[in-house]
Amino acid sequence: MAAFSLSFPADYVLHIGAGSGRAAEGYVQAGLDPVVLAEADPEAMPGLQALAKRFAPVQAIAAAVSAKGGPGRFHSCNFAGLSSLAAPAEALYQLFPGLQVLAEETVETQAIADLAARCGLPEAGRGLLVLEAPGQALALLQALEQAECLQHFQTLRLQEGRDPLYRDAPGMAALRAGLEDMGYISWLEAAPEDPDRPYAVAWRNNTALAAVEEWQACGQAAEQERAVAEQQLQACTADLAELQQRYGALLQEKEVQEDLLRRLADRLAPLAGDAEAAAPEPEE
């Protein structure tokens, strides 16, 4: 791994595929704590464990890290840094004509979200996540996002092939598109040691993202209030229509009753006249 200067402040780091731990001392000198180095190659563990004894913030974890955990096929290659849980594609053999898969072994993998929980990363702070897991970077990020752990990492450093180099794995363009969907801006490091497998650095403004999420939540709340108001308006409109219908029926009933009264008055009028004529005249 090439020397890496932090583009943005970080408080701790989780490095998947740490290899020999070449970056560990730089992390410690930058003040990161904890410094979690995870590596699948058992031959690299003695060196990582020595670093853990030398530097108090360093944790050395032997783990083949995957998106979901469980059994996986680990492809051990004769070129350092190319071994992976993903099978090499033809494009990788073309880049490295002497590439050989020395062994394919079934291993028990560690889910990345479980690993992040296991190593005691702080709940708050500015995390750095470094992924040197060929062909797996996007899947690992998506798993962290699904587990709601990705927000702990404000800065990312990811190595991936410009073109897809492993079976069913994306290339750098697809990886950067995925980063954008997750709220990160990204760029490629200048002058990579391996131009065909560059590093992307990504950064997310968590404060701005929280503000956007709050705005979206307010928008959702307003939409819910509007929906409730719309339902209430519909209910009031239905009540008004019912009242208007009942009022119309009452008006019709009133007209019927008034008509009956008029006809009754017409029938009673002659009787009233006869009664008046038959009444005796008052005595003088």
Side-chain angles (χ1 to χ4, degrees), residues 79 82 91-100 165 194 196-197:
F79 286 126
L82 298 182
L92 188 63
Y93 287 103
Q94 292 176 359
L95 280 179
F96 298 89
L99 176 66
Q100 295 180 11
L165 301 178
D194 185 346
D196 295 305
R197 299 188 309 131

XYZ file of all heavy atoms in Angstrom, residues 79 82 91-100 165 194 196-197:
135
model
N 0.324 -13.565 -6.702
C 0.698 -12.156 -6.652
C 0.074 -11.514 -5.414
O -1.135 -11.635 -5.188
C 0.232 -11.415 -7.914
C 1.053 -11.719 -9.133
C 0.450 -12.170 -10.296
C 2.428 -11.550 -9.123
C 1.203 -12.455 -11.424
C 3.185 -11.824 -10.253
C 2.577 -12.281 -11.407
N -3.737 -9.749 -4.745
C -4.760 -10.155 -5.719
C -5.647 -11.271 -5.199
O -6.649 -11.605 -5.832
C -4.103 -10.597 -7.033
C -3.289 -9.526 -7.769
C -2.732 -10.097 -9.071
C -4.134 -8.287 -8.047
N -10.006 -10.633 -17.430
C -9.293 -9.351 -17.509
C -8.121 -9.291 -16.535
O -7.084 -8.679 -16.830
C -10.263 -8.203 -17.233
N -8.244 -9.940 -15.381
C -7.152 -9.935 -14.413
C -5.983 -10.784 -14.914
O -4.818 -10.403 -14.747
C -7.644 -10.456 -13.062
C -6.642 -10.312 -11.901
C -6.343 -8.839 -11.625
C -7.178 -10.996 -10.648
N -6.286 -11.911 -15.545
C -5.221 -12.748 -16.101
C -4.490 -12.016 -17.228
O -3.282 -12.195 -17.428
C -5.798 -14.063 -16.625
C -6.207 -15.020 -15.537
C -7.548 -15.173 -15.202
C -5.267 -15.777 -14.837
C -7.937 -16.059 -14.202
C -5.646 -16.659 -13.840
C -6.985 -16.795 -13.525
O -7.363 -17.671 -12.531
N -5.215 -11.166 -17.972
C -4.567 -10.410 -19.036
C -3.648 -9.339 -18.468
O -2.596 -9.046 -19.035
C -5.637 -9.776 -19.931
C -6.440 -10.801 -20.732
C -7.562 -10.161 -21.534
O -7.770 -8.945 -21.484
N -8.301 -10.982 -22.279
N -4.032 -8.736 -17.333
C -3.176 -7.739 -16.701
C -1.941 -8.372 -16.079
O -0.860 -7.774 -16.067
C -3.958 -6.981 -15.616
C -4.893 -5.866 -16.071
C -5.592 -5.250 -14.860
C -4.133 -4.788 -16.836
N -2.116 -9.571 -15.542
C -1.016 -10.276 -14.876
C -0.851 -11.641 -15.544
O -1.425 -12.643 -15.087
C -1.315 -10.441 -13.381
C -1.443 -9.143 -12.639
C -2.668 -8.505 -12.542
C -0.339 -8.558 -12.048
C -2.795 -7.315 -11.846
C -0.454 -7.359 -11.357
C -1.680 -6.725 -11.261
N -0.101 -11.698 -16.631
C 0.004 -12.949 -17.408
C 0.506 -14.138 -16.590
O 0.179 -15.283 -16.899
C 0.991 -12.585 -18.525
C 0.881 -11.094 -18.658
C 0.620 -10.590 -17.282
N 1.265 -13.885 -15.558
C 1.775 -14.992 -14.750
C 0.891 -15.345 -13.570
O 1.290 -16.155 -12.714
N -0.297 -14.764 -13.506
C -1.176 -14.984 -12.359
C -1.608 -16.442 -12.264
O -2.007 -17.060 -13.256
C -2.414 -14.086 -12.473
C -3.479 -14.269 -11.395
C -2.940 -13.839 -10.030
C -4.746 -13.495 -11.746
N -1.564 -16.961 -11.057
C -2.053 -18.309 -10.787
C -2.853 -18.304 -9.491
O -2.487 -17.624 -8.530
C -0.894 -19.299 -10.643
C -0.072 -19.502 -11.905
C 1.057 -20.495 -11.675
O 1.110 -21.180 -10.658
N 1.975 -20.572 -12.627
N -12.345 -6.751 -12.770
C -11.248 -7.719 -12.796
C -11.613 -9.034 -12.116
O -10.836 -9.987 -12.190
C -10.010 -7.122 -12.124
C -9.466 -5.829 -12.748
C -8.266 -5.324 -11.959
C -9.095 -6.054 -14.219
N -0.453 1.435 -9.307
C -0.997 0.524 -10.319
C -2.117 1.262 -11.046
O -3.238 1.353 -10.536
C -1.533 -0.744 -9.647
C -1.991 -1.786 -10.675
O -2.132 -1.429 -11.866
O -2.213 -2.945 -10.277
N -4.012 0.476 -13.363
C -5.178 -0.347 -13.677
C -6.011 -0.665 -12.440
O -7.152 -1.105 -12.560
C -4.733 -1.666 -14.337
C -4.066 -1.434 -15.683
O -4.700 -0.795 -16.546
O -2.911 -1.865 -15.860
N -5.431 -0.441 -11.257
C -6.150 -0.678 -9.998
C -5.929 0.519 -9.066
O -5.254 0.412 -8.056
C -5.681 -1.982 -9.338
C -5.928 -3.218 -10.193
C -5.638 -4.507 -9.418
N -4.319 -4.476 -8.794
C -4.084 -4.791 -7.512
N -5.069 -5.141 -6.727
N -2.847 -4.747 -7.038
